[in-house]
Amino acid sequence: MADPRGFLRTRDRELPSDRSVPVRIQDWDEIHRHPVGDDGALDSLHRQAGRCMDCGVPFCHHACPLGNLVPEWNDLTWRGMWADASDRLHLTNNFPEITGRICPAPCETGCVLGINQPPVTIKHVELSIVEEAFERGLVQPAVIDRHTASTVAVVGSGPAGLAAAQQLTRAGHTVTVFERADAPGGLLRYGIPEYKLPASVVERRLDIMRAEGTVFRCGVDVGTDVTGDGLLASFDAVVVTTGSTLPRDLPVPGRALHGVMPAMDYLVPANHAALGEPVADAPVATGLDVVIIGGGDTGADCLGTAVRQGARSITQLEILAEPSRARPAAQPWPTYPTIFRVSSSHEEGGERVFAVSTVSLLGDDAGRVRGLQVVDVEQVDGRFEPVAGTERVLPAQLVVLALGFVGPEREGLGEQLGLTTDGRGSFVRGDDFSTATPGVFVAGDCGRGQSLIVWAIAEGRSAAASADRFLTGRTELPSPIRASTLALRA
Ligand SMILES: Cc1cc2nc3c(=O)[nH]c(=O)nc-3n(C[C@H](O)[C@H](O)[C@H](O)COP(=O)(O)OP(=O)(O)OC[C@H]3O[C@@H](n4cnc5c(N)ncnc54)[C@H](O)[C@@H]3O)c2cc1C
């Protein structure tokens, strides 16, 4: 156990301050600071890790899909045993530097200390361990010297594909990752803004994977450039991790107007531009009134991006009512509660409007969007009913639809590999991530539906274990979840 009286001595959470808003919105650099090797920061980290109670039943394990060994690495951090802490961290998580930055941390809402005190700063301890470990040269490629004769194709290089590929490479198989974008990373590289997760952080991990022997073939659209049959003929197993890429649309009059677009059509070019990569005809918010429809995290990322591009005004609309600040009684500890959350982007500007629905999009003579007709709504028997007399027009020359995703693309690869979809549009797989086509496995958002990085990594690890068992008849790879494992939620 870390400090036996730590949680009594240190009752508050301490976190390093972010870069100040006026400074950080001038650039695309990471907003959070991660002081490494700094004495003051280490003292604070020591106190925070020491708050972990090593409680009898650590719910943080259960709340984390990866089953992270949180009390163990809190203890090792408190003792300053960085190499051991890093080993424990990497035992369950291939990419702690990514979850440590942008996971919503279900572990913290499950922390037992959180019953009557602020929970342990688990996510920050995680990030501190891995960044210290990188700084000290402790994170090195795990190059194996015995190879099997088996080959595996992983299609898609988001966190699910990368985790599966690393696990299978380390099991001795020859792994090729196919990615249709020009560089690996999936949403980690071109979806999530640079100011939340720098591409250099992803690239640092990819370098380790390349050194371990994982091969990346980018710019290859599987299903078009390479067929499913071609993959099955050339590889002994295939892991499909193509993500949930079809955006949910807004079928209202005016949807086809110029200047109305799905979130990824806005965020991806903005991320390329932030990385200094050439982009043609990228939609830019500079000087415009921007309305983001969808009050979730993707919408918040659009908001932060529009702030940096110098939008004149930004409004984020959410159809649901504003959540309460405190845990609702029906969502007690240790569930992940629906509460009012303020993301770093919300600190930077814009207005959030709740309980409002878009009736139509209004255009000018040139076919460009000029505004939205909206109305307040209230929920009656699960339906959203308009509130009479609240109709109004919001000016907007850029409207971004951040309404979530409805599943993977089914044509092409999915059809060619014989994959079917379930009622939610996701690829069907068994509890062990296998599909009806022998040797083909499905993991990540394309099977689970739109989710989180931590789930994608857990799925990739588990699918890798199943693929390894399929190839060799046995496996020593860990399998943290079954495909049917549900998030610990109310
Ligand atoms: C804007 C945004 C912000 C987010 N922010 C967070 C966050 O802060 N924290 C968090 O936990 N989660 C966040 N998420 C969710 C998280 O990013 C996803 O749950 C996660 O990336 C899913 O991983 P994946 O590997 O299944 O798929 P993806 O990351 O979507 O990767 C799929 C990859 O497959 C490739 N691909 C698809 N089809 C083919 C094909 N036919 N051939 C070759 N390649 C193909 C795609 O190009 C892509 O690179 C965010 C999502 C979005 C959209």
Side-chain angles (χ1 to χ4, degrees):
M1 180 177 181
D3 184 353
R5 299 182 59 79
F7 70 97
L8 296 173
R9 255 197 297 270
T10 308
R11 301 188 78 86
D12 292 327
R13 283 162 68 91
E14 293 166 46
L15 291 167
S17 59
D18 292 337
R19 295 170 64 219
S20 74
V21 169
V23 172
R24 73 193 195 213
I25 62 171
Q26 307 297 327
D27 60 40
W28 297 90
D29 294 346
E30 190 172 8
I31 57 172
H32 300 301
R33 278 193 276 238
H34 314 295
V36 170
D38 168 276
D39 283 348
L42 284 177
D43 283 350
S44 163
L45 185 68
H46 183 257
R47 275 193 300 278
Q48 288 299 311
R51 293 178 68 229
C52 180
M53 302 185 295
D54 196 16
C55 43
V57 182
F59 277 76
C60 49
H61 280 198
H62 187 54
C64 175
L66 291 166
N68 276 340
L69 305 169
V70 178
E72 293 191 25
W73 37 261
N74 275 330
D75 176 46
L76 292 163
T77 302
W78 185 71
R79 292 173 200 281
M81 297 170 68
W82 295 107
D84 291 325
S86 172
D87 285 351
R88 285 299 196 291
L89 190 58
H90 284 94
L91 262 186
T92 56
N93 187 352
N94 300 68
F95 314 122
E97 69 280 18
I98 293 170
T99 47
R101 282 180 164 79
I102 55 172
C103 185
C107 53
E108 292 188 4
T109 50
C111 172
V112 173
L113 189 56
I115 295 174
N116 61 357
Q117 276 194 43
V120 175
T121 56
I122 300 171
K123 180 165 127 173
H124 179 59
V125 176
E126 173 184 30
L127 183 60
S128 302
I129 295 170
V130 65
E131 289 301 332
E132 276 291 334
F134 269 113
E135 184 73 11
R136 292 167 188 244
L138 298 170
V139 186
Q140 293 294 331
V143 182
I144 54 123
D145 50 13
R146 276 187 308 168
H147 291 268
T148 69
S150 300
T151 55
V152 184
V154 174
V155 187
S157 65
L162 294 179
Q166 186 166 56
Q167 295 295 95
L168 287 162
T169 301
R170 288 178 172 178
H173 308 303
T174 301
V175 179
T176 305
V177 179
F178 292 90
E179 169 55 56
R180 69 181 170 194
D182 59 5
L187 288 171
L188 304 180
R189 181 185 289 268
Y190 291 134
I192 298 168
E194 179 72 5
Y195 59 82
K196 271 174 64 183
L197 177 63
S200 57
V201 170
V202 179
E203 201 51 48
R204 181 176 63 178
R205 187 57 75 168
L206 289 169
D207 281 343
I208 289 178
M209 292 183 65
R210 291 184 188 107
E212 290 173 350
T214 305
V215 173
F216 291 93
R217 288 191 56 196
C218 295
V220 180
D221 189 338
V222 181
T224 306
D225 303 327
V226 178
T227 64
D229 282 347
L231 277 193
L232 291 173
S234 309
F235 294 90
D236 300 309
V238 178
V239 185
V240 177
T241 57
T242 49
S244 177
T245 45
L246 295 177
R248 179 171 288 111
D249 211 348
L250 183 69
V252 296
R255 165 65 184 87
L257 287 166
H258 194 66
V260 182
M261 66 199 67
M264 300 318 285
D265 288 5
Y266 175 59
L267 285 177
V268 173
N271 256 347
H272 280 283
L275 290 166
E277 297 167 3
V279 261
D281 300 328
V284 178
T286 314
L288 304 182
D289 300 304
V290 179
V291 172
I292 299 156
I293 305 181
D297 293 341
T298 300
D301 288 351
C302 296
L303 193 157
T305 301
V307 166
R308 281 162 181 74
Q309 290 179 343
R312 180 167 50 202
S313 73
I314 310 169
T315 310
Q316 188 181 11
L317 307 183
E318 167 58 51
I319 197 166
L320 295 172
E322 184 172 325
S324 62
R325 260 59 176 179
R327 260 184 196 277
Q331 299 173 16
W333 174 92
T335 58
Y336 191 80
T338 305
I339 52 171
F340 184 81
R341 292 188 164 85
V342 179
S343 74
S344 58
S345 297
H346 294 131
E347 294 168 357
E348 295 168 356
E351 186 192 356
R352 300 167 81 178
V353 182
F354 290 86
V356 65
S357 178
T358 305
V359 179
S360 63
L361 298 158
L362 312 172
D364 61 16
D365 293 343
R368 292 197 54 91
V369 69
R370 65 174 174 82
L372 298 83
Q373 172 108 40
V374 299
V375 65
D376 290 347
V377 289
E378 57 187 6
Q379 268 187 291
V380 181
D381 296 333
R383 289 190 321 275
F384 294 101
E385 299 288 354
V387 178
T390 62
E391 297 83 2
R392 58 201 184 272
V393 171
L394 303 179
Q397 301 83 47
L398 176 63
V399 175
V400 184
L401 308 178
L403 299 160
F405 300 85
V406 294
E409 294 149 49
R410 292 125 212 167
E411 287 144 21
L413 173 70
E415 286 171 353
Q416 292 165 16
L417 288 178
L419 303 180
T420 53
T421 50
D422 61 20
R424 296 174 309 129
S426 303
F427 288 141
V428 172
R429 68 271 173 85
D431 228 8
D432 65 350
F433 301 88
S434 66
T435 67
T437 307
V440 177
F441 301 82
V442 161
D445 280 7
C446 67
R448 170 167 288 272
Q450 181 191 2
S451 185
L452 296 173
I453 290 162
V454 70
W455 282 99
I457 299 172
E459 290 224 351
R461 288 169 71 83
S462 305
S466 290
D468 186 36
R469 192 179 301 107
F470 169 81
L471 293 168
T472 66
R474 56 186 289 279
T475 188
E476 290 179 11
L477 294 179
S479 182
I481 55 168
R482 295 191 297 264
S484 60
T485 308
L486 294 176
L488 185 62
R489 281 175 190 276

